[in-house]
Amino acid sequence: MRVVFDGALAELADGGAKGFDWDGGGYARCGFLVRSGATVHAYRNECPHAGNRLEWKPDAFLTKDGSLIMCSVHGANFRIHDGLCVAGPCMGRALTELAVSVVAGRVEVRLAEADDA
């Protein structure tokens, strides 16, 4: 596994989200983080419905109330804790989760070789 994101937990607001790219970015090489207290979830930035990026502007991944992840193109809503679509055109499908850890105030996202598309 290789590290594709390494940053300070303090740089991610509680209840907020942050996008990141690796290896030059592009649709296949981008992800995002969502923080809930000391817990951070990481997903590929790709809607399972149409394959587009989720945000409509940098770091805008959440619904207005911050309770769900939202696709800005078709309005699909995903649970933060597991990425499952609970409303919209891809009901029952889920975002692709990325391996994330928080250790000593640092957030690290690792990508397995098989997932490094």
Side-chain angles (χ1 to χ4, degrees), residues 2-6 20-23 98-99 108-111 116:
R2 71 183 179 106
V3 175
V4 294
F5 178 85
D6 180 17
F20 64 92
D21 293 338
W22 64 91
D23 295 343
L98 300 173
E108 190 174 88
V109 178
R110 291 182 175 270
L111 196 63
D116 200 0

Side-chain angles (χ1 to χ4, degrees), residues 31-94:
F32 67 99
L33 308 165
V34 181
R35 179 177 175 187
S36 180
T39 303
V40 177
H41 300 278
Y43 298 99
R44 280 194 182 266
N45 185 0
E46 182 179 18
C47 181
H49 170 239
N52 54 278
R53 290 177 76 132
L54 297 165
E55 80 279 28
W56 62 277
K57 69 177 185 176
D59 303 329
F61 293 94
L62 303 177
T63 55
K64 190 172 185 176
D65 67 2
S67 65
L68 295 165
I69 298 164
M70 185 178 80
C71 176
S72 65
V73 176
H74 297 106
N77 284 237
F78 305 87
R79 296 189 306 210
I80 291 171
H81 71 276
D82 62 4
L84 182 69
C85 182
V86 294
C90 51
M91 280 283 285
R93 295 178 67 192

